[in-house]
Every structure is written in C-alpha cells, then in structure tokens.
Amino acid sequence: MMAAKLLIPPATGARAVAGTMPALHGLTDHVVAEPRVSRTRIREHTVPERHAGNSANAPSGRVLLGGAVVDLLGFPEAIGLISARATSRELPPLAIASANLDHINHFGVGSRWASVLGNGRSWVDGSPVVDWLTLLDGAPLVSEAQRLTGRSWPRLAGSDLIGPLLDAATDLQLRVGFLGGAESAHESLKSRFSRERPGLVVAGFWSPGRDELTDPAASTCLAAAIAAAKVDILVVGLGKPRQELWIAEYGALTEARVLLAFGAVVDFLAGRIQRAPEWVSSHGLEWAWRLALEPRRLARRYLLDGPAAYASLRSKSSGLEEVPGDASSGPGDGPAPATPAPPPAGNRTFAIAGQAADVAVLVVTYNNADDVGPLIESLRSEAAEQWLRVIVADNGSSDGTLDALSRYDDVISFATGGNLGYSGGINAAQQFCGDVQYLLVANPDLVIERGSVAAMIRRQRLSGAGIVVPALLDEDGSTYPSLRREPTLPRAWADAALGCRLPGRPAWLSEIDYDQVSYEHAHPVEWATGAALLIDAGLATELGPWDERFFLYLEETDFFRRAREAGTDAWFEPAAKMRHRRGGSGSSAALTALMAVNRTRYAEKHHPPATAAAFRGAAVLSEALRAYQRDHRPALRALLNKRSWEQLPHAVPAPQANHDDGGRLRDFPAGSIIIPAHNEAAVIARTLTSLKPLAATGAVEIFLVCNGCTDNTAEIAGRFSGVQVVEVDEPSKTIAMDTGDALATAWPRLYLDADVEIDPVAIEQLFRRLGQGDLLAARPASQYDTGGATGLVQAFYRARGRMASTRSGLWGAGAFALTREARARFGKFPPVQADDVFVDRHFGANEKEIVTCRPIKVHTPKDARALVTVLRRNYRSNVHLLNFQPAEGGGGTSQSLRELLGSVRGPLTAFDAAVYAGFAVAARLRKGPATATTWERDESSRR
C-alpha cells in the first residue's frame, strides 16, 4: 500500500466575504478596513535565509522520524500547498503540524498519541475528515531528514510560515480565525493587525478554557461557533498535544479549510514572546533561547522529555516509501462483520442462549450479591443499542449472589465449583458466549453509563483495535487513573522507590499514567486495569484462555501483552464511562503478597532469568520500604522465599458435597457468638434483630452477657428466641467476654459489640474462612455509617477510612473472631478497654485477615463532642494497654502520621486529614488512666 498523497487543487478564484456571525467571547469578524480586490495569484514571498537551499524546490517526500510521519517540502511548496487547500471545498480540511522533538515525544513511536494522527489522515466513524501535513521543525529533525535523504531540507517553523500565510489570506480574501491564547493577546493582536495588516479579514478570536476543551459538548459548541463565523484558515494555538488532539476530534466541525496547529504563534504575532535571533536559530539553539525565556514552563519539555525523544529520533527513523495502513483507505482490515438485526426500540432484555447477540458480557462474582443488581440494570439500558448476552460465573459465593441472579430469566449464571480466580472465572464464562462479535469483561461492582458499550464498539471499528477500555470513575465521579504502561525495569524500580509520589515524573519512570490529558482523548494504551475491557471476539479466540497462574492481579497485564504480541492495539475511549466501586470488600496481607509475587511471575514469564531477577529485586525494594505497614511484611517474606508461593491464594475447587444443584452452600458452619452488653437497651434489639435468623434456627450459639446492667437490656434480649442471656454483677466488658467463653462450646467464636449490626451471611463467610485452616483470627469487612453526623465528623471518618492500618487490623469494627488455637495464645482477657487492639497484637499479618463479605455497619458519633469522647477513650485505653502488653516498635503516633500524610491526594483529602489531626489533638489534651470499669462511650449513635 502506497502512502496517501496530499492533493493540491487547481487555483480557484476568490469568493465574496460571507456575512458575519457572532462567536465566543464577542470577538468576531474583526475587519479593520475594506478588503482589497482579490487577486487569483499568491504574491511572491522572500524565503528567509534559514529556509534557503538547493532543495527548496525539490520534490516532496516522507520520512519516519522517531516513528512519526513527516512530510518533506520546501518553503514555497508549503506555502503554495496550504494556500491552495484553503480555497478548496472539494477535499477534506488540511491540518498542519510542526514536527520537533516535542512532537516525537507526543506522537512518535511508543507514545500515547502515536496513532491519533494516523498516517496523514484523521477518521471519524470510518470517514476521512482531516488530512494532516506534518512539516519539519527543530534542528535535530532537519539533520536526521538530511541524513536519511542525502539532501538538505528547510526548517518550516509555524512562526516563519504564519506571515506569508496571512499575506496569502489577504490576497485571496480568506477569512482567518484564531483559537487559543489569552484574550489580552487577542486584543494586542487586533491592534497590531489594524496597523500592519489592514486588509486581513479576521473572522473571530476564541479563547476557551481548559474545561471547555476537555468537554465534548462544549467543544462541539465551540466548533459550531467557529463554523458560523465562516472561517477559512483557523490558527490553533493550544500547545502540543492539545491542539492536534482537538483538531483531530473537532477540526472538521469548524468547517475551516485549513487548520494551523502553530502553538505559541499567537503570542509571537502579538509581540508577547521574542523570537530567537537568526544566529541562534541557525545553530540549532532556539530551544535554549526559549528555555531561558520560560524556564518553568519549558524545563520538563527540553530537559526531561527532550533526551528521550532525541534517542527515539536517532534509533527509530527511516525513509518511507510505504505507510502501514494506507491513509487512502479506511481504518481496519476490511468491512465490518455482519451484525444481528438491531434490538427493538426501548429494548431492555438480553439475548438468551441460542439467540444472536452482538456482545457477550462476562462477569465473575465472588460474594457480590449487593453489586449484581445495579450492574444488570445499567446493562439493560445498553441493550437498547445492541444485543447483549450476559453471563455470570460465580466463584463460590456464600452471600446469596446466585440467589440474587436467579431473579433474572435472561441472565446466564452458574457456579464454577469453587474459587477459580478471575482468570478461571473468565475462561469458564467464555464457554457460553456463542456467536458474538465482542466480549465485554466487566467487574461486578461496575455501573455502566448509558451509551458506553456503543462508544467502545465505535472506537474498535474506527481504530481496528483488538481491545478497547473505558474511562473508570470513582464513586464521587472523579476519574480513576486506570491506564497503565508496560512494566519495565526503570518503571519498576522508580515505582518501588516513589510509589504514587511525584506523579508528574516522566512516563519511562512510572507504570501508572497520572496525566489528566491522557483521560480526555482517545488513544492507544499498552494496558489498563481489567475492571472493564471490550475484546474483539476473533482476538479472544486467537489468544485462547486467560492465564490462570495469576489467579488475581496481573492477569490483565498478561492478556494485553499477548494481544500486542499478536499484532493488535488496545485503545482508550473517554466517551465510555463506568463507575467502579473500589475497596469495598476488605483486604488482607495474603492478597498484598499475591500482588507482589505476581509481578515476579509476570517477569519470569516474559523476560530472561537475569531480567526477571532484577524485577524481583524491585519488588523486594518496594515491600521493604513499606514494611512498617503490617500487611506488607508477609509480601516481603514471600518474595524472599519462593517456596512459600504455594500457600498464597490460588484456585480452589469447592467440595461438591457442600453444594446443592444451584451451587449454594447447604449447611451453616458451627460457631459461637459472644456479645458483652452494659446498659445497651437503646440498641440491643437492633443488633439481635440482625441475628434473628441464626438465633431462631440454632445454627450457632449466641450468648449475650449483661455486665453490671441497670437498665432492661437483659429483658429485651430475653425476648429473642435462641439467645442465651447471662448476667454478671461487675460492669466489665472483658469479664463478660471471659464469661461467654466459659459457657460456649463451639468454635470459631465471634466477639461482637452490642451496638454492631452484622448480616448472617457475613458470619457464615467469616466462620467458613476461619475453617479453612490457614488463619487464626479474622474480622468482617466494615463500613462507617456516618448518616446524621456533622460535616466535621464525616470528614474525620473519610480520612480514617483512607489510612492503611484501618484495612489490616482486627480493631475498629466492633467484631473479631478467633479459632480455638488463636484463643489459646492468651488466658483471660486482661482488664483493658482496648480488647480488640490487645487481641490484634497477638497475631502476625499472615495469621489474620479482613474477610471479604457484606460489610458490617459501624455507627459513628454524630457530633464533635461525642467524637472527642470516643477518641479520648481510645487514647486512654491504648495507654492503659501498655501496662499489660508493650506496643511493637514503629507504630503508634508516628505511623498514624505517616499514613495520614500519605492519604493526601488533593484539596478535599487534605481538608479531611487536617480535620482528623485536629480531633486527634483535641482528644489528647485531657489525660488520665483508664480502667475496664470506666466506660466513656458515645451516646449520640444510640439515640
């Protein structure tokens, strides 16, 4: 396939200046004088010295410079071609880009925007809408082009081209518009044009903000305003890469015939930026001149990104006779595959087995009973545009997930027979896909915004990509940084040392793409988090099963890599948006260790032993630097001891004898629940009501121990069948817990605060997890119920929820469970109030876990006074605990401060952290000994 050639139409006569139309910011149709009678011939221009040379009139050609396609033209040729296209209404608009090292950084091989400009043509829905002419700019590129072709080529900077092009626009009575730059620069430009270019017809000035440029609706309106002003030549000065990206997406909508992506040319024309002297430019030092003038803005471009771009220029440049993916033909390798008849208007049903479908949606669940409903509802809205077949593979849920799914007759759901991991679940679900064009792998805790699936399909057909990923939004609507780069040694070691700090570091030093611009435009990506991805069905068949060795984490990294090795791309589509609830299922040291180990497994699979060892070294460094956090210590031990990898989470088929035909567990595990209560009449009914199904059937032992109660707590509890009520005289929580231990006979045992509500399903999951034999202690996942609390209290608990220690310890949830072996580690509970902290310190990170289950509710204080009371109690209790159990080194206030500072990601999180710190200081102002018989509790949450 030969490269597409730029078309130069025959000269056309000038046309009358069209009527004026209003435009943004009120700066439109600025004509400072009556236009001169047009001439059909462009005036002759003096070629600046820097553009002179034997090759000024040489035939044009193309080269690849750093992987970017660059057109080779002389100065007069460029002016003539651009001017001619500005008068043509028969050809697509022509966009002009300047190729320098910054262009290679953004659009060269391996860059995120590498495919956006195509091979000289931008496409929308399969139709060409913008031709691209990329001209040499920057001394290193000029030298490389000379080396490749054996002839000299002029440097065609936008700041040099703009003057002759404005002369041509004046001669041809073409209307010129300016997009970008400050309004003050526009005012200066108007004044300067009135003096120096009285015949130039300026159709309008537009100075949009960043929010307008990144919002599709606002950008469409902006393009419409430019079109209404009847612009022929639009000078777009938004800076790289934003100007090229905006032109690629909205340039055709402006109806301009030529779009000049000329960066800072508005400021040059307005005299706000001084041009480099001729001797500076001729010696290739204009970059140093600009850096000296604007060091803060340009330091990264020239000092950090520039060297890498130069290395790419030297290693990835070549002559170009053919362009892969001929720009004269549309994207993709052929016609779109046949599709089923579209769904009827307003359709909300899914295609069942045997029925034709466009997309098979694959969902893997594990205790997601609360999540599947919102996901399915959002998918029903998508079913109006394409036929979906929804397939759910359940990995041994015990919370009623399959029961929740059984309500949907048009959803294919089944039990996998155990916990096969994410990859195993996807592989099992693929067996039910049938004949479809696409597979949509989706996490169960997603909510898909309307039109997202159709947007991903459009992007796939437009780009020919094998995989398309959407924008993922957090629950607050903010964009989650879901885009990733292939793991390399520099990235692995930089990420190990820096983590999420310095997010603005160069791309070669960070696996995560934190740059906001990356989430505003469609572009190729190396990989993305696997919460949602649309896969071409043919590619899925070619690649085969997902690698089940990874179980969880890195399985999508491996899949994306195999797709790239198969010769296909993955694209990000910002118009597809999906809300993703992250972190709601608890965490464990074992999963942290699994993620660290899987990074090494991935390196061992795809790299030689020496390189894999270096990756493993980076993982060891990462975990060693974070070993002050308890849940990272097992990860460090696992990395140092490869034989321990077999004990990490892996695919575990469930014993079939414990399941019925629907994949649901038949019997409830044995165990005991011990509830200490002191004057809890206000809340005890609420707690026992949540346990009523277990109490009534006798599935577990339930003991409520009233200690020193002077209210009717015992009387209320006695009304609940199956609850054994015991009364002791001394008001001591720990004595109550010891009393319950003396009466209970079953293991494991759940110690539950009297004001905590817990679902029976969570208890079942907790007891079953402890019954697997690899843990000694556990607690259920929890969530703070701040309903009715003041704003400051809510801010405090938001900050607390972001701290790592709250997601790894047994304390803080009002519930923890112990096995017989765990309980044997200590005798009676000591007379302390911080009983959960006392218990937590008896177990290593690999001996305890926060179990993935339906979270229990932790009712928080409602006002600041009540919160300070609780915090003061906690502080005094921890001090008192030191008399019985010394704290481990490296914890306490210093660790909390590190975690608090580490949780700050922006203004909102900084405010929350400040509120947290303020409450913590206030609670510590009053000191005094705490005893087990003195209980400072929150009454506000008991009302």
Side-chain angles (χ1 to χ4, degrees):
M1 294 180 294
M2 298 300 296
K5 296 182 178 179
L6 289 160
L7 302 179
I8 305 177
T12 57
R15 54 184 174 80
V17 177
T20 63
M21 296 290 288
L24 266 63
H25 305 291
L27 297 174
T28 182
D29 227 54
H30 171 62
V31 184
V32 296
E34 289 296 320
R36 291 177 279 178
V37 176
S38 69
R39 298 184 291 247
T40 58
R41 179 175 68 87
I42 299 175
R43 72 180 74 176
E44 304 220 356
H45 303 290
T46 301
V47 180
E49 182 180 345
R50 71 186 75 175
H51 304 300
N54 295 332
S55 64
N57 295 307
S60 62
R62 291 182 125 187
V63 289
L64 276 177
L65 299 181
V69 177
V70 178
D71 299 284
L72 302 178
L73 293 172
F75 193 87
E77 286 179 296
I79 297 298
L81 188 154
I82 296 170
S83 301
R85 286 290 290 263
T87 63
S88 171
R89 308 299 296 182
E90 300 173 355
L91 298 174
L94 178 65
I96 317 299
S98 298
N100 49 27
L101 287 180
D102 195 37
H103 186 85
I104 291 178
N105 177 55
H106 292 298
F107 299 101
V109 64
S111 69
R112 58 185 157 179
W113 313 118
S115 301
V116 170
L117 305 188
N119 297 308
R121 181 164 291 175
S122 295
W123 303 78
V124 170
D125 291 338
S127 300
V129 292
V130 177
D131 282 343
W132 283 93
L133 178 69
T134 304
L135 301 177
L136 275 175
D137 185 11
L141 278 74
V142 172
S143 298
E144 185 67 15
Q146 180 176 346
R147 184 186 70 82
L148 292 172
T149 63
R151 65 179 69 177
S152 61
W153 295 97
R155 176 177 170 233
L156 304 177
S159 51
D160 290 328
L161 292 170
I162 189 63
L165 288 175
L166 292 180
D167 290 341
T170 303
D171 291 342
L172 296 172
Q173 288 191 342
L174 299 175
R175 298 165 63 82
V176 181
F178 294 85
L179 173 63
E183 291 188 28
S184 57
H186 292 171
E187 292 295 336
S188 298
L189 202 54
K190 288 172 59 178
S191 176
R192 193 162 185 170
F193 282 168
S194 66
R195 298 191 307 271
E196 301 177 6
R197 296 182 180 277
L200 179 67
V201 181
V202 179
F205 292 88
W206 294 268
S207 181
R210 178 167 182 163
D211 290 343
E212 293 177 78
L213 295 171
T214 57
D215 179 69
S219 284
T220 301
C221 290
L222 173 61
I226 296 171
K230 301 187 182 304
V231 175
D232 296 305
I233 298 176
L234 182 65
V235 181
V236 185
L238 302 175
K240 281 187 187 295
R242 192 178 300 278
Q243 58 196 16
E244 287 85 359
L245 298 175
W246 195 90
I247 290 172
E249 293 186 48
Y250 305 102
L253 300 180
T254 68
E255 299 183 11
R257 307 316 306 155
V258 167
L259 301 101
L260 306 174
F262 278 0
V265 75
V266 170
D267 290 323
F268 281 123
L269 289 173
R272 296 162 67 96
I273 296 180
Q274 185 179 357
R275 288 294 311 275
E278 182 67 34
W279 70 268
V280 172
S281 298
S282 62
H283 286 80
L285 295 175
E286 187 168 357
W287 67 270
W289 173 271
R290 295 195 62 191
L291 178 61
L293 294 178
E294 301 179 88
R296 296 190 63 175
R297 187 174 75 86
L298 299 177
R300 178 189 176 101
R301 177 193 301 182
Y302 292 128
L303 301 182
L304 293 180
D305 298 332
Y310 183 77
S312 179
L313 172 68
R314 297 295 297 171
S315 63
K316 299 172 182 175
S317 297
S318 63
L320 189 65
E321 294 181 357
E322 290 191 5
V323 180
D326 187 353
S328 64
S329 62
D333 296 325
T339 61
N347 178 63
R348 289 179 57 82
T349 61
F350 303 136
I352 60 175
Q355 181 181 348
D358 300 288
V359 183
V361 183
L362 311 182
V363 183
V364 180
T365 57
Y366 179 71
N367 295 323
N368 295 108
D370 292 337
D371 298 318
V372 292
L375 170 64
I376 289 172
E377 276 303 306
S378 66
L379 285 170
R380 291 204 185 282
S381 297
E382 298 301 282
E385 298 185 65
Q386 53 272 310
W387 280 110
L388 306 179
R389 188 179 347 272
V390 180
I391 306 161
V392 183
D394 185 72
N395 266 335
S397 296
S398 57
D399 69 339
T401 298
L402 282 172
D403 287 333
L405 290 166
S406 66
R407 301 196 301 267
Y408 306 108
D409 294 335
D410 53 355
V411 172
I412 302 170
S413 59
F414 64 96
T416 62
N419 190 349
L420 306 185
Y422 197 61
S423 293
I426 293 173
N427 292 337
Q430 280 189 254
Q431 302 175 30
F432 299 89
C433 286
D435 186 13
V436 295
Q437 298 179 64
Y438 304 102
L439 279 60
L440 175 60
V441 176
N443 272 18
D445 55 353
L446 287 174
V447 174
I448 300 173
E449 294 195 1
R450 180 69 184 267
S452 293
V453 175
M456 295 170 76
I457 292 174
R458 283 195 299 271
R459 177 57 57 189
Q460 191 281 327
R461 292 176 177 171
L462 170 62
S463 64
I467 305 172
V468 179
V469 297
L472 296 181
L473 308 179
D474 280 330
E475 291 183 284
D476 62 0
S478 60
T479 299
Y480 171 67
S482 59
L483 303 183
R484 301 289 189 268
R485 306 180 181 101
E486 176 64 17
T488 62
L489 284 176
R491 288 170 182 159
W493 282 89
D495 286 344
L498 299 174
C500 60
R501 292 174 174 80
L502 298 179
R505 59 186 182 267
W508 59 278
L509 290 178
S510 177
E511 185 176 316
I512 299 177
D513 188 347
Y514 291 104
D515 192 344
Q516 181 180 344
V517 177
S518 295
Y519 299 88
E520 297 169 354
H521 303 276
H523 61 95
V525 297
E526 293 184 326
W527 69 282
T529 55
L533 51 153
L534 184 83
I535 308 168
D536 179 82
L539 175 65
T541 301
E542 178 182 353
L543 297 184
W546 289 51
D547 192 337
E548 298 184 17
R549 287 177 293 177
F550 293 103
F551 185 71
L552 188 66
Y553 307 131
L554 275 294
E555 71 283 340
E556 74 268 54
T557 319
D558 176 75
F559 188 83
F560 276 93
R561 183 184 182 110
R562 290 195 289 137
R564 292 197 305 275
E565 291 173 347
T568 189
D569 292 329
W571 273 69
F572 168 71
E573 176 49 62
K577 301 181 185 299
M578 304 185 185
R579 293 183 181 269
H580 186 208
R581 185 178 64 80
R582 299 180 297 112
S585 57
S587 63
S588 72
L591 292 181
T592 301
L594 179 64
M595 177 179 286
V597 165
N598 275 358
R599 290 187 178 277
T600 302
R601 283 176 171 151
Y602 179 82
E604 290 178 344
K605 178 179 179 180
H606 295 289
H607 295 284
T611 305
F615 273 104
R616 187 176 180 182
V620 168
L621 174 65
S622 177
E623 300 306 321
L625 292 176
R626 293 156 183 83
Y628 65 88
Q629 301 176 21
R630 293 182 179 179
D631 57 343
H632 283 270
R633 296 170 195 165
L636 179 58
R637 289 193 294 268
L639 288 168
L640 296 174
N641 179 17
K642 196 169 184 179
R643 288 179 296 180
S644 68
W645 292 8
E646 296 179 359
Q647 275 64 56
L648 293 175
H650 56 280
V652 179
Q656 293 302 308
N658 290 332
H659 292 74
D660 61 22
D661 293 339
R664 293 175 289 274
L665 294 166
R666 283 175 176 157
D667 55 342
F668 202 94
S672 300
I673 301 174
I674 298 171
I675 308 172
H678 173 69
N679 291 336
E680 300 285 6
V683 295
I684 195 60
R686 182 178 68 190
T687 298
L688 294 179
T689 298
S690 68
L691 300 175
K692 195 171 182 179
L694 299 182
T697 60
V700 297
E701 298 177 334
I702 301 178
F703 297 92
L704 187 133
V705 185
C706 293
N707 55 104
C709 290
T710 58
D711 63 0
N712 63 337
T713 298
E715 178 185 348
I716 296 173
R719 301 170 188 165
F720 286 83
S721 175
V723 176
Q724 302 182 51
V725 181
V726 182
E727 297 187 72
V728 296
D729 294 333
E730 188 169 354
S732 167
K733 180 181 181 182
T734 55
I735 289 177
M737 296 164 75
D738 286 332
T739 301
D741 271 331
L743 297 171
T745 62
W747 297 94
R749 291 178 184 170
L750 172 63
Y751 300 87
L752 184 68
D753 284 358
D755 61 338
V756 172
E757 299 171 66
I758 183 169
D759 192 288
V761 173
I763 298 174
E764 179 183 12
Q765 294 170 252
L766 187 66
F767 285 179
R768 288 195 182 280
R769 182 66 186 93
L770 287 174
Q772 293 178 8
D774 58 330
L775 291 179
L776 297 179
R779 74 163 174 88
S782 62
Q783 63 184 19
Y784 294 119
D785 181 4
T786 57
T790 64
L792 290 178
V793 172
Q794 292 181 15
F796 174 90
Y797 281 100
R798 284 198 302 267
R800 186 172 184 177
R802 298 185 187 107
M803 297 171 68
S805 58
T806 64
R807 303 188 297 273
S808 59
L810 300 177
W811 51 269
F816 60 85
L818 304 175
T819 64
R820 184 194 299 268
E821 181 183 354
R823 186 64 182 84
R825 288 202 175 177
F826 57 92
K828 291 185 176 182
F829 284 96
V832 297
Q833 290 184 357
D835 54 275
D836 49 3
V837 178
F838 169 81
V839 170
D840 182 76
R841 290 179 181 174
H842 279 83
F843 306 101
N846 60 334
E847 297 177 314
K848 61 187 177 183
E849 181 178 298
I850 299 178
V851 174
T852 300
C853 65
R854 186 173 300 172
I856 63 174
K857 287 184 180 180
V858 178
H859 297 279
T860 68
K862 303 303 181 186
D863 53 50
R865 181 184 296 273
L867 177 56
V868 170
T869 297
V870 170
L871 294 178
R872 183 167 60 239
R873 179 195 75 199
N874 293 344
Y875 173 70
R876 294 170 64 188
S877 299
N878 289 335
V879 171
H880 182 234
L881 180 60
L882 296 177
N883 297 326
F884 300 88
Q885 186 183 49
E888 295 181 7
T893 303
S894 60
Q895 178 176 337
S896 297
L897 182 59
R898 287 194 299 268
E899 292 183 11
L900 187 63
L901 294 176
S903 71
V904 175
R905 295 290 184 272
L908 176 60
T909 54
F911 171 78
D912 293 345
V915 171
Y916 183 98
F919 274 114
V921 171
R924 296 189 180 204
L925 292 179
R926 294 180 60 186
K927 300 180 180 180
T931 68
T933 58
T934 302
W935 189 252
E936 299 171 282
R937 71 181 182 188
D938 166 39
E939 298 292 345
S940 67
S941 62
R942 288 170 164 77
R943 296 167 188 161

